Each structure stands twice: as C-alpha cells, then as structure tokens.
Amino acid sequence: MSSPTFPPPRTCDQCGAVITGRRDKRFCDIRCKNAYHRDIRRITEPVTKRIDQFLHRNRTILYELWKDARKKKFFVSRTKLYKKGFRFKYFTSTYVNNQGKLYHYLYDFRWMEFSTDQIMVVKQ
Ligand SMILES: [Zn+2]
C-alpha cells in the first residue's frame, strides 16, 4: 500500500489535472477557468433569467414613477402599477418594521401596501 502524499495534490476544478503554484489556484490555466465559468453560466441562466427580467422590469417601473414624482417617497395606486406590468410577487427581500408593517424591497426601492389600493414607494 502506497502512502498518500500530504497535502494531497491539488487538481483543476475543470479538467482534474494536477496544478501547482499559488495555494488558492483552482484551475490549470485561463482556458479551464473560462470553460468552468461558461458551463456554470449555461446551467444557471435558464433558471434565473426569467425572474431576473421580472425584477428588473419592476425596478424600471418604480424608477420611472420615482423620476416623475420627484420625491424620495411617493404613493401610487395598485391598479396603476398593475397596468404598467408590475409583478407584486417579485422582490429582492422583505422587512417588517417595529409597527408590524411589511416592506418589500426591490434593490434600492422599498414599497408597502399603504391602503387597499395605495402603495407607498420609497427610494433609498
Ligand atoms: Zn484544467
């Protein structure tokens, strides 16, 4: 039985070849590094693209309304947002303030259901 080398040889994350050099090096060369990231992108993009488009569209809608309002905080009707194509179920995170109000974050904007039809939007 041969004794294993210690530390074990590091191998390229793409092709498995033994690599030497810096301890944090993960690929044998730039082609393997590019191929690795291209493969990851090819797998990830079909899953994330559609939702990313909804998020970006939502942000564009809020940005255009914010530009027209010329205020950091403004109100818009749910109906108006809906007609512009805003998709309420797509946001980047949520936050409940100390009064129990739920905020939906969308990148640098946050919005809250202020009343039945009024949405309060705040740009950060
Ligand atoms: Zn390689």
Side-chain angles (χ1 to χ4, degrees):
M1 186 176 148
S2 64
S3 60
T5 55
F6 188 84
R10 291 171 299 122
T11 54
C12 175
D13 284 357
Q14 177 66 15
C15 72
V18 173
I19 51 176
T20 56
R22 274 186 9 229
R23 279 176 60 90
D24 60 344
K25 198 172 168 188
R26 294 177 52 197
F27 306 98
C28 58
D29 61 21
I30 191 70
R31 279 176 302 174
C32 272
K33 182 180 179 182
N34 288 343
Y36 177 86
H37 289 291
R38 187 186 57 237
D39 291 349
I40 293 282
R41 228 182 0 261
R42 198 173 49 226
I43 293 163
T44 301
E45 250 180 33
V47 181
T48 59
K49 192 174 180 180
R50 192 170 148 82
I51 291 170
D52 287 351
Q53 285 172 339
F54 293 152
L55 289 170
H56 290 192
R57 179 73 191 125
N58 276 356
R59 198 218 173 254
T60 298
I61 291 166
L62 294 186
Y63 178 78
E64 287 173 350
L65 291 168
W66 170 77
K67 264 179 59 183
D68 290 346
R70 296 167 177 266
K71 288 183 203 163
K72 184 181 172 198
K73 179 165 86 179
F74 62 95
F75 294 85
V76 59
S77 76
R78 174 180 278 275
T79 308
K80 185 173 181 178
L81 282 175
Y82 184 77
K83 282 181 178 170
K84 284 183 170 290
F86 193 85
R87 292 169 188 260
F88 287 88
K89 72 178 209 180
Y90 294 97
F91 44 84
T92 51
S93 67
T94 58
Y95 170 74
V96 178
N97 74 5
N98 56 17
Q99 293 161 353
K101 299 281 189 188
L102 173 66
Y103 283 92
H104 294 81
Y105 280 84
L106 187 66
Y107 303 105
D108 54 336
F109 285 95
R110 63 180 193 267
W111 57 270
M112 179 190 87
E113 293 181 21
F114 192 76
S115 65
T116 315
D117 191 50
Q118 287 294 297
I119 304 292
M120 183 180 86
V121 182
V122 181
K123 182 163 187 329
Q124 294 178 258

PDB file of all heavy atoms in Angstrom, residues 11-19 26-33, ligand 1:
ATOM      1  N   THR A  11      -6.060  19.693  -7.665  1.00  0.00           N
ATOM      2  CA  THR A  11      -6.418  19.421  -9.053  1.00  0.00           C
ATOM      3  C   THR A  11      -7.310  20.531  -9.603  1.00  0.00           C
ATOM      4  O   THR A  11      -8.046  21.183  -8.857  1.00  0.00           O
ATOM      5  CB  THR A  11      -7.151  18.067  -9.187  1.00  0.00           C
ATOM      6  OG1 THR A  11      -8.260  18.058  -8.293  1.00  0.00           O
ATOM      7  CG2 THR A  11      -6.233  16.903  -8.868  1.00  0.00           C
ATOM      8  N   CYS A  12      -7.242  20.687 -10.903  1.00  0.00           N
ATOM      9  CA  CYS A  12      -8.024  21.699 -11.617  1.00  0.00           C
ATOM     10  C   CYS A  12      -9.522  21.392 -11.462  1.00  0.00           C
ATOM     11  O   CYS A  12      -9.944  20.249 -11.661  1.00  0.00           O
ATOM     12  CB  CYS A  12      -7.628  21.677 -13.098  1.00  0.00           C
ATOM     13  SG  CYS A  12      -8.616  22.762 -14.145  1.00  0.00           S
ATOM     14  N   ASP A  13     -10.315  22.402 -11.098  1.00  0.00           N
ATOM     15  CA  ASP A  13     -11.768  22.224 -10.934  1.00  0.00           C
ATOM     16  C   ASP A  13     -12.466  21.901 -12.251  1.00  0.00           C
ATOM     17  O   ASP A  13     -13.584  21.402 -12.252  1.00  0.00           O
ATOM     18  CB  ASP A  13     -12.406  23.484 -10.327  1.00  0.00           C
ATOM     19  CG  ASP A  13     -12.125  23.610  -8.837  1.00  0.00           C
ATOM     20  OD1 ASP A  13     -11.491  22.710  -8.259  1.00  0.00           O
ATOM     21  OD2 ASP A  13     -12.557  24.635  -8.253  1.00  0.00           O
ATOM     22  N   GLN A  14     -11.816  22.161 -13.372  1.00  0.00           N
ATOM     23  CA  GLN A  14     -12.445  21.906 -14.664  1.00  0.00           C
ATOM     24  C   GLN A  14     -12.017  20.563 -15.252  1.00  0.00           C
ATOM     25  O   GLN A  14     -12.846  19.739 -15.578  1.00  0.00           O
ATOM     26  CB  GLN A  14     -12.132  23.037 -15.651  1.00  0.00           C
ATOM     27  CG  GLN A  14     -12.684  22.851 -17.047  1.00  0.00           C
ATOM     28  CD  GLN A  14     -14.209  22.886 -17.086  1.00  0.00           C
ATOM     29  OE1 GLN A  14     -14.886  23.301 -16.148  1.00  0.00           O
ATOM     30  NE2 GLN A  14     -14.781  22.430 -18.199  1.00  0.00           N
ATOM     31  N   CYS A  15     -10.683  20.324 -15.375  1.00  0.00           N
ATOM     32  CA  CYS A  15     -10.219  19.125 -16.091  1.00  0.00           C
ATOM     33  C   CYS A  15      -9.622  18.070 -15.166  1.00  0.00           C
ATOM     34  O   CYS A  15      -9.365  16.944 -15.605  1.00  0.00           O
ATOM     35  CB  CYS A  15      -9.209  19.512 -17.167  1.00  0.00           C
ATOM     36  SG  CYS A  15      -7.617  20.017 -16.506  1.00  0.00           S
ATOM     37  N   GLY A  16      -9.372  18.405 -13.906  1.00  0.00           N
ATOM     38  CA  GLY A  16      -8.860  17.416 -12.964  1.00  0.00           C
ATOM     39  C   GLY A  16      -7.352  17.251 -12.983  1.00  0.00           C
ATOM     40  O   GLY A  16      -6.816  16.442 -12.208  1.00  0.00           O
ATOM     41  N   ALA A  17      -6.638  17.993 -13.831  1.00  0.00           N
ATOM     42  CA  ALA A  17      -5.177  17.888 -13.890  1.00  0.00           C
ATOM     43  C   ALA A  17      -4.565  18.433 -12.598  1.00  0.00           C
ATOM     44  O   ALA A  17      -5.127  19.327 -11.963  1.00  0.00           O
ATOM     45  CB  ALA A  17      -4.658  18.688 -15.085  1.00  0.00           C
ATOM     46  N   VAL A  18      -3.427  17.848 -12.210  1.00  0.00           N
ATOM     47  CA  VAL A  18      -2.730  18.327 -11.019  1.00  0.00           C
ATOM     48  C   VAL A  18      -2.219  19.734 -11.283  1.00  0.00           C
ATOM     49  O   VAL A  18      -1.667  20.022 -12.351  1.00  0.00           O
ATOM     50  CB  VAL A  18      -1.562  17.375 -10.653  1.00  0.00           C
ATOM     51  CG1 VAL A  18      -0.716  17.961  -9.516  1.00  0.00           C
ATOM     52  CG2 VAL A  18      -2.107  15.996 -10.270  1.00  0.00           C
ATOM     53  N   ILE A  19      -2.422  20.633 -10.325  1.00  0.00           N
ATOM     54  CA  ILE A  19      -1.960  22.012 -10.501  1.00  0.00           C
ATOM     55  C   ILE A  19      -0.943  22.381  -9.426  1.00  0.00           C
ATOM     56  O   ILE A  19      -0.968  21.864  -8.322  1.00  0.00           O
ATOM     57  CB  ILE A  19      -3.120  23.045 -10.503  1.00  0.00           C
ATOM     58  CG1 ILE A  19      -4.044  22.860  -9.299  1.00  0.00           C
ATOM     59  CG2 ILE A  19      -3.889  22.976 -11.786  1.00  0.00           C
ATOM     60  CD1 ILE A  19      -5.143  23.906  -9.218  1.00  0.00           C
ATOM     61  N   ARG A  26      -7.283  27.454  -8.581  1.00  0.00           N
ATOM     62  CA  ARG A  26      -8.306  26.419  -8.766  1.00  0.00           C
ATOM     63  C   ARG A  26      -8.281  25.795 -10.156  1.00  0.00           C
ATOM     64  O   ARG A  26      -8.913  24.773 -10.384  1.00  0.00           O
ATOM     65  CB  ARG A  26      -9.701  27.020  -8.542  1.00  0.00           C
ATOM     66  CG  ARG A  26      -9.941  27.456  -7.109  1.00  0.00           C
ATOM     67  CD  ARG A  26     -11.297  28.100  -6.958  1.00  0.00           C
ATOM     68  NE  ARG A  26     -12.353  27.261  -7.500  1.00  0.00           N
ATOM     69  CZ  ARG A  26     -13.586  27.696  -7.799  1.00  0.00           C
ATOM     70  NH1 ARG A  26     -13.887  28.952  -7.614  1.00  0.00           N
ATOM     71  NH2 ARG A  26     -14.482  26.871  -8.291  1.00  0.00           N
ATOM     72  N   PHE A  27      -7.585  26.453 -11.104  1.00  0.00           N
ATOM     73  CA  PHE A  27      -7.600  25.970 -12.487  1.00  0.00           C
ATOM     74  C   PHE A  27      -6.186  25.894 -13.021  1.00  0.00           C
ATOM     75  O   PHE A  27      -5.320  26.674 -12.605  1.00  0.00           O
ATOM     76  CB  PHE A  27      -8.446  26.911 -13.354  1.00  0.00           C
ATOM     77  CG  PHE A  27      -9.819  27.130 -12.809  1.00  0.00           C
ATOM     78  CD1 PHE A  27     -10.124  28.260 -12.061  1.00  0.00           C
ATOM     79  CD2 PHE A  27     -10.806  26.178 -13.008  1.00  0.00           C
ATOM     80  CE1 PHE A  27     -11.395  28.448 -11.528  1.00  0.00           C
ATOM     81  CE2 PHE A  27     -12.077  26.345 -12.484  1.00  0.00           C
ATOM     82  CZ  PHE A  27     -12.373  27.486 -11.745  1.00  0.00           C
ATOM     83  N   CYS A  28      -5.958  24.973 -13.972  1.00  0.00           N
ATOM     84  CA  CYS A  28      -4.606  24.826 -14.505  1.00  0.00           C
ATOM     85  C   CYS A  28      -4.242  25.989 -15.426  1.00  0.00           C
ATOM     86  O   CYS A  28      -3.088  26.370 -15.499  1.00  0.00           O
ATOM     87  CB  CYS A  28      -4.431  23.478 -15.197  1.00  0.00           C
ATOM     88  SG  CYS A  28      -5.565  23.166 -16.540  1.00  0.00           S
ATOM     89  N   ASP A  29      -5.215  26.566 -16.113  1.00  0.00           N
ATOM     90  CA  ASP A  29      -4.931  27.735 -16.957  1.00  0.00           C
ATOM     91  C   ASP A  29      -6.210  28.543 -17.202  1.00  0.00           C
ATOM     92  O   ASP A  29      -7.293  28.166 -16.757  1.00  0.00           O
ATOM     93  CB  ASP A  29      -4.268  27.317 -18.279  1.00  0.00           C
ATOM     94  CG  ASP A  29      -5.154  26.399 -19.114  1.00  0.00           C
ATOM     95  OD1 ASP A  29      -6.391  26.389 -18.918  1.00  0.00           O
ATOM     96  OD2 ASP A  29      -4.613  25.667 -19.968  1.00  0.00           O
ATOM     97  N   ILE A  30      -6.049  29.622 -17.941  1.00  0.00           N
ATOM     98  CA  ILE A  30      -7.171  30.541 -18.167  1.00  0.00           C
ATOM     99  C   ILE A  30      -8.280  29.890 -18.994  1.00  0.00           C
ATOM    100  O   ILE A  30      -9.460  30.187 -18.800  1.00  0.00           O
ATOM    101  CB  ILE A  30      -6.670  31.870 -18.805  1.00  0.00           C
ATOM    102  CG1 ILE A  30      -7.764  32.944 -18.811  1.00  0.00           C
ATOM    103  CG2 ILE A  30      -6.138  31.656 -20.217  1.00  0.00           C
ATOM    104  CD1 ILE A  30      -8.119  33.489 -17.436  1.00  0.00           C
ATOM    105  N   ARG A  31      -7.895  28.946 -19.886  1.00  0.00           N
ATOM    106  CA  ARG A  31      -8.938  28.289 -20.695  1.00  0.00           C
ATOM    107  C   ARG A  31      -9.848  27.440 -19.818  1.00  0.00           C
ATOM    108  O   ARG A  31     -11.056  27.430 -20.001  1.00  0.00           O
ATOM    109  CB  ARG A  31      -8.303  27.445 -21.809  1.00  0.00           C
ATOM    110  CG  ARG A  31      -7.886  28.281 -23.008  1.00  0.00           C
ATOM    111  CD  ARG A  31      -7.188  27.444 -24.028  1.00  0.00           C
ATOM    112  NE  ARG A  31      -6.027  26.821 -23.366  1.00  0.00           N
ATOM    113  CZ  ARG A  31      -5.236  25.931 -23.896  1.00  0.00           C
ATOM    114  NH1 ARG A  31      -5.469  25.493 -25.101  1.00  0.00           N
ATOM    115  NH2 ARG A  31      -4.207  25.453 -23.234  1.00  0.00           N
ATOM    116  N   CYS A  32      -9.257  26.710 -18.858  1.00  0.00           N
ATOM    117  CA  CYS A  32     -10.067  25.900 -17.941  1.00  0.00           C
ATOM    118  C   CYS A  32     -10.945  26.798 -17.060  1.00  0.00           C
ATOM    119  O   CYS A  32     -12.100  26.491 -16.806  1.00  0.00           O
ATOM    120  CB  CYS A  32      -9.188  25.007 -17.077  1.00  0.00           C
ATOM    121  SG  CYS A  32      -8.835  23.419 -17.855  1.00  0.00           S
ATOM    122  N   LYS A  33     -10.372  27.908 -16.608  1.00  0.00           N
ATOM    123  CA  LYS A  33     -11.143  28.833 -15.775  1.00  0.00           C
ATOM    124  C   LYS A  33     -12.342  29.379 -16.556  1.00  0.00           C
ATOM    125  O   LYS A  33     -13.469  29.389 -16.060  1.00  0.00           O
ATOM    126  CB  LYS A  33     -10.241  29.990 -15.316  1.00  0.00           C
ATOM    127  CG  LYS A  33     -10.929  30.978 -14.405  1.00  0.00           C
ATOM    128  CD  LYS A  33      -9.980  32.091 -13.996  1.00  0.00           C
ATOM    129  CE  LYS A  33     -10.707  33.088 -13.092  1.00  0.00           C
ATOM    130  NZ  LYS A  33      -9.840  34.202 -12.717  1.00  0.00           N
TER     131      LYS A  33
HETATM  132 ZN    ZN B   1      -7.696  22.359 -16.210  1.00  0.00          ZN
END
